[in-house]
Amino acid sequence: MMKLRTLIFTSVMLPWILSSAANEYTEARKPEEDTVDFPDYGITYDTDTNSVAGPKAEELPTCLLCVCLSGSVYCEEVSPEMSAVPALPKETAYLYARFNKITKISNGDFADMATLKRIDLTGNLIAEIEDGAFSKLPNLEELTLAENKLTRLPILPVKLVSLNANFNKLTTQGVKANAFKKLTKLEYLYLGNNEMTAVPNLPESLHVVHLHNNKIASITDETFCKGNTSYYIRSNMDEVRLDGNPVILSNHPNSFICLHTLPLGWYN
């Protein structure tokens, strides 16, 4: 009888004892959970819906948001929408930030960027540029501000070779008469499709000037030439556009006597 009880006890209790021991051994050997730190790119999570909320453009590193390649930064049609100029690498020479939602250019946007040679901001919503935004860029040669909402131009860097501000809302009050006086290297000036009523003073260095589709109603013998002398030839000027303005060129027969060619386009 004792042998039978011993056999029953062993067959019931022994598996339970072994199972408990195995669990304790497993718990004792369980490693601590490893934690991995991922870079914080400004991504947040909505705890209510458990969905990802994307970062804003200005919260992302520039070369993650844009393409940076050998001194050139390409920030074109950026998603998420870019509403301000991003912080640029110090070696940036060429910036292409076209077709975004940039609304303003501030003095600090290009501070200490002595390497910049070209800036293209075509197709944004820029309505304001602070006066010092470009003036301290010693090597800037090309500036494109076309297709924005500008009513005035800022102070421009003296080494500028090309300025394109077509398709804005520039007025004569916003483009001062002497705005280009100190730009002795300026060769290409595009101010078409604006709201200007007068032609500003044009530097001798100009090869091309486009002023078409403005509101210019009159010009003088000194707008392009020097009315007090018939010997003056404007040798650099190759192309002038004044079409789409209310000015009647036939009323100003001596206004272009110093040029190699007459203005391009159709006129009244």
Side-chain angles (χ1 to χ4, degrees):
M1 189 67 178
M2 286 296 294
K3 290 182 179 181
L4 179 61
R5 289 179 179 176
T6 301
L7 180 60
I8 293 172
F9 176 81
T10 302
S11 62
V12 173
M13 297 301 294
L14 186 58
W16 179 82
I17 293 170
L18 292 174
S19 176
S20 298
N23 289 339
E24 290 177 2
Y25 177 78
T26 301
E27 290 295 327
R29 290 294 303 275
K30 186 177 180 180
E32 294 184 4
E33 294 184 0
D34 294 331
T35 59
V36 180
D37 294 327
F38 291 97
D40 180 8
Y41 290 134
I43 300 176
T44 57
Y45 294 86
D46 188 330
T47 54
D48 295 331
T49 62
N50 208 28
S51 60
V52 178
K56 297 180 180 179
E58 57 268 22
E59 295 173 347
L60 290 170
T62 299
C63 291
L64 179 64
L65 184 69
C66 308
V67 176
C68 300
L69 182 64
S70 300
S72 297
V73 178
Y74 300 87
C75 300
E76 301 186 342
E77 296 184 281
V78 170
S79 180
E81 293 179 348
M82 178 186 290
S83 58
V85 175
L88 300 174
K90 290 295 183 182
E91 70 276 9
T92 303
Y94 305 97
L95 170 65
Y96 303 91
R98 299 180 290 199
F99 309 112
N100 291 292
K101 304 292 183 182
I102 299 172
T103 58
K104 180 181 178 180
I105 306 298
S106 301
N107 289 342
D109 288 341
F110 301 109
D112 302 319
M113 295 298 299
T115 56
L116 272 172
K117 293 182 178 180
R118 179 185 301 161
I119 297 174
D120 191 341
L121 296 166
T122 299
N124 280 277
L125 303 173
I126 302 170
E128 180 184 356
I129 300 178
E130 293 183 356
D131 262 340
F134 303 123
S135 61
K136 296 181 180 180
L137 298 178
N139 294 304
L140 190 66
E141 296 178 350
E142 298 181 38
L143 177 59
T144 301
L145 302 168
E147 299 176 45
N148 280 282
K149 297 184 176 182
L150 292 171
T151 58
R152 61 181 294 273
L153 289 177
I155 297 173
L156 299 168
V158 294
K159 289 188 178 181
L160 205 63
V161 174
S162 175
L163 172 65
N164 187 340
N166 285 340
F167 291 97
N168 276 277
K169 298 180 179 181
L170 294 172
T171 65
T172 297
Q173 291 73 24
V175 182
K176 297 179 180 179
N178 293 323
F180 311 110
K181 183 178 181 180
K182 295 181 180 180
L183 306 187
T184 57
K185 296 180 180 293
L186 189 65
E187 297 181 8
Y188 304 94
L189 179 60
Y190 303 100
L191 297 174
N193 294 89
N194 280 284
E195 299 178 9
M196 298 171 58
T197 57
V199 178
N201 293 335
L202 303 175
E204 292 288 331
S205 56
L206 274 181
H207 288 255
V208 175
V209 57
H210 287 185
L211 295 161
H212 55 287
N213 298 330
N214 275 274
K215 298 179 179 180
I216 300 169
S218 65
I219 55 176
T220 72
D221 292 352
E222 296 187 354
T223 299
F224 297 95
C225 302
K226 295 180 179 179
N228 59 351
T229 175
S230 59
Y231 297 101
Y232 169 71
I233 300 296
R234 192 164 193 139
S235 57
N236 289 327
M237 187 73 76
D238 299 319
E239 183 175 309
V240 175
R241 280 194 66 182
L242 281 168
D243 50 308
N245 284 282
V247 63
I248 300 175
L249 296 191
S250 59
N251 293 339
H252 309 279
N254 296 322
S255 295
F256 309 101
I257 196 170
C258 66
L259 303 182
H260 295 299
T261 61
L262 292 173
L264 300 176
W266 293 92
Y267 299 91
N268 296 326

